[in-house]
Amino acid sequence: MATTHIKRSTSASRLVNYAEKRAVKQDGLNLDIQYAKSEFKQVRDIYGNPGRTQAYASRIAF
């Protein structure tokens, strides 16, 4: 039986760091993790999101 969990995070960069450490496989097309983290920060600064929900994470376990 599969279980799912959805969690909200106040820091998208911290969520990426958490996933990076635990990932079994990291792969993507035209994806640079450091650039993505800097974009998260730029969007947060532009729209003035000082600490509310920035990202959602979902986890599926089998």
Side-chain angles (χ1 to χ4, degrees):
M1 170 167 51
T3 60
T4 60
H5 179 75
I6 298 175
K7 179 183 175 184
R8 67 185 181 117
S9 176
T10 56
S11 173
S13 295
R14 194 171 355 151
L15 190 60
V16 171
N17 289 338
Y18 176 83
E20 250 185 320
K21 292 177 191 173
R22 289 156 179 81
V24 175
K25 182 175 180 178
Q26 296 179 13
D27 191 17
L29 180 64
N30 298 327
L31 177 65
D32 180 24
I33 294 173
Q34 294 305 319
Y35 181 70
K37 288 180 190 178
S38 70
E39 281 191 330
F40 288 143
K41 183 175 179 356
Q42 288 174 0
V43 170
R44 185 171 55 246
D45 292 341
I46 289 169
Y47 290 102
N49 187 347
R52 296 180 297 270
T53 301
Q54 292 181 6
Y56 288 94
S58 62
R59 180 176 58 204
I60 301 173
F62 296 96

